[in-house]
Amino acid sequence: MLYIYNKSTNPYFNLAAEEYLLKEFEEEIFMLWRNGPSVIIGKNQNALAEIDLDYVKKNNIPVVRRLSGGGAVFHDLGNLNFTFIVNEDISNFADFKKFTEPIIEVLKNLSVNAEFSGRNDITIDGKKISGNAQYCYKNRILHHGTLLFSASIKDLSSALKPKSLKFEDKAVKSVEKRVTNISEHLKKPLSIEEFIDLIMDHVKGTKEGKVYEFTPEDIKKIEKLVEEKYGTWEWNFGESPKYKFKNERRFSAGTVEVNMNVEKGRIEDIKFYGDFFGRRDVSEVEMLLSGVRHEEGEIKKALSKINIGDYFAGISVEELVSLLF
């Protein structure tokens, strides 16, 4: 087994590194890593329906889609991530528990009463400290999990505020659970770096292997995967399942309601209703936005081609765009 402590805190790089190790290596792997503040969404989720877009934009928080299913999670430097990549019969795919056992053993050695709970969680006194997810490729299983050590619970709850009333889709929804930090349950203070060392040393003792560091060639290939996939709008937002979006807002110049269907992140069709006034037919705006990415910058770019006041008298482009998210 290869043991890797990946010190990058770039979420695009780190998610790409997992796919690279899964698909380009034959060895089994255990990796520890951390991300800077970011939202990591499951493969089958609608990105916009899982986040508070205003909070994420204001705080420049990247939103990155991972290979595995499951729900959305908030990462920061107080959250430690672990990854196992093993070669085995994928009929064992549903067995999440065995991958969490070494982690639980470390916590129990620290006198923390951690246990595997439900389908894919680790809890302490009923509060979640770890969510786990899996993905299989050929005869290899990738299992990864979070470990809330000293994460900002406030940022976690602020970034992940699904606006379910606006979205109607078949995407997997995240389930809110009570969470806690491991650091709050320790008998003696411990830094996250010391915690990392404890986990790595313990897992090393369970299977023979060697420490591995990314080579310049590895890094080059991972960065290429970031450029082509993990850092792109197409992967992180365009991969969202088809969904319907609706919203209504009262402006000083009247009420506007919007209904739209979005597929592969692009507006398939859109309809505006309300008691607003305009000297030109709003269907022209609807046609203009058809095929445009459901993304603020692209919508503003499209609307810059027209005088929005001709269609929505007294309503600005910024106001109209705010209605669409």
Side-chain angles (χ1 to χ4, degrees):
M1 177 169 275
L2 302 181
Y3 295 100
I4 302 173
Y5 176 25
N6 171 17
K7 295 186 179 180
S8 165
T9 58
N10 181 322
Y12 301 111
F13 181 92
N14 293 340
L15 273 292
E18 284 193 309
E19 179 172 341
Y20 172 69
L21 292 169
L22 174 70
K23 296 183 177 179
E24 301 298 328
F25 281 58
E26 295 180 354
E27 297 92 339
E28 295 193 326
I29 292 163
F30 176 71
M31 181 169 69
L32 291 174
W33 49 287
R34 291 189 288 165
N35 282 332
S38 51
V39 173
I40 312 300
I41 62 170
K43 174 68 165 65
N44 305 310
Q45 291 193 294
N46 175 359
L48 289 175
E50 293 298 326
I51 62 176
D52 183 324
L53 187 61
D54 293 335
Y55 184 87
V56 164
K57 282 171 49 185
K58 180 181 177 182
N59 292 279
N60 296 312
I61 297 173
V63 177
V64 191
R65 186 180 301 276
R66 62 178 185 266
L67 279 177
S68 62
V73 287
F74 175 80
H75 287 187
D76 64 13
L77 293 177
N79 175 77
L80 176 64
N81 304 288
F82 66 94
T83 302
F84 283 98
I85 299 174
V86 298
N87 299 319
E88 61 179 57
D89 187 342
I90 61 173
S91 63
N92 297 324
F93 181 74
D95 185 2
F96 282 55
K97 186 176 182 180
K98 71 176 181 180
F99 294 105
T100 66
E101 285 173 351
I103 309 299
I104 291 173
E105 287 166 3
V106 172
L107 292 169
K108 287 191 179 296
N109 289 340
L110 292 169
S111 299
V112 175
N113 185 30
E115 60 183 0
F116 186 78
S117 173
R119 183 182 59 160
N120 60 336
D121 295 340
I122 301 174
T123 59
I124 299 173
D125 299 332
K127 293 183 180 180
K128 181 175 176 177
I129 54 113
S130 173
N132 293 261
Q134 293 185 174
Y135 178 82
C136 63
Y137 173 76
K138 296 184 177 178
N139 68 326
R140 284 163 74 78
I141 294 177
L142 181 151
H143 175 107
H144 49 192
T146 58
L147 288 167
L148 295 174
F149 186 82
S150 55
S152 169
I153 303 301
K154 179 179 179 294
D155 288 342
L156 185 156
S157 59
S158 296
L160 300 176
K161 284 186 176 175
K163 298 179 174 68
S164 57
L165 292 178
K166 293 184 182 180
F167 292 89
E168 180 185 326
D169 57 40
K170 296 180 180 179
V172 176
K173 303 294 189 298
S174 295
V175 179
E176 282 193 64
K177 295 183 180 178
R178 291 189 306 156
V179 297
T180 187
N181 276 312
I182 293 166
S183 58
E184 296 174 17
H185 301 269
L186 297 173
K187 299 290 187 284
K188 295 180 182 178
L190 191 71
S191 70
I192 192 165
E193 289 78 14
E194 291 170 322
F195 185 59
I196 288 169
D197 289 340
L198 285 175
I199 291 179
M200 185 61 81
D201 289 344
H202 183 77
V203 177
K204 279 182 186 176
T206 65
K207 195 161 190 176
E208 186 178 344
K210 65 178 182 178
V211 173
Y212 183 84
E213 292 187 6
F214 290 132
T215 66
E217 185 65 19
D218 290 332
I219 292 171
K220 184 178 178 181
K221 288 180 178 178
I222 293 168
E223 288 177 342
K224 186 172 186 288
L225 195 53
V226 171
E227 182 182 342
E228 295 177 350
K229 182 174 182 179
Y230 287 90
T232 67
W233 177 90
E234 284 78 9
W235 171 253
N236 295 317
F237 290 91
E239 284 290 322
S240 294
K242 183 175 182 177
Y243 59 88
K244 295 180 180 179
F245 176 95
K246 61 181 179 180
N247 199 14
E248 182 178 341
R249 190 162 299 171
R250 174 75 185 174
F251 301 106
S252 59
T255 298
V256 183
E257 177 188 338
V258 64
N259 286 266
M260 63 179 166
N261 293 309
V262 181
E263 186 166 12
K264 295 190 179 300
R266 293 183 181 272
I267 299 169
E268 197 173 49
D269 56 76
I270 184 169
K271 290 290 182 183
F272 292 100
Y273 306 94
D275 60 3
F276 56 90
F277 295 99
R279 68 183 188 88
R280 301 191 64 163
D281 195 322
V282 75
S283 65
E284 293 177 17
V285 180
E286 295 166 350
M287 290 175 62
L288 179 68
L289 293 178
S290 179
V292 174
R293 288 180 183 177
H294 190 196
E295 188 268 323
E296 185 175 319
E298 290 296 305
I299 291 174
K300 283 184 176 179
K301 183 179 175 182
L303 293 177
S304 69
K305 299 173 183 177
I306 60 173
N307 179 1
I308 201 67
D310 287 346
Y311 304 91
F312 300 90
I315 296 174
S316 68
V317 168
E318 287 72 21
E319 288 174 323
L320 188 67
V321 170
S322 73
L323 178 71
L324 305 184
F325 294 91

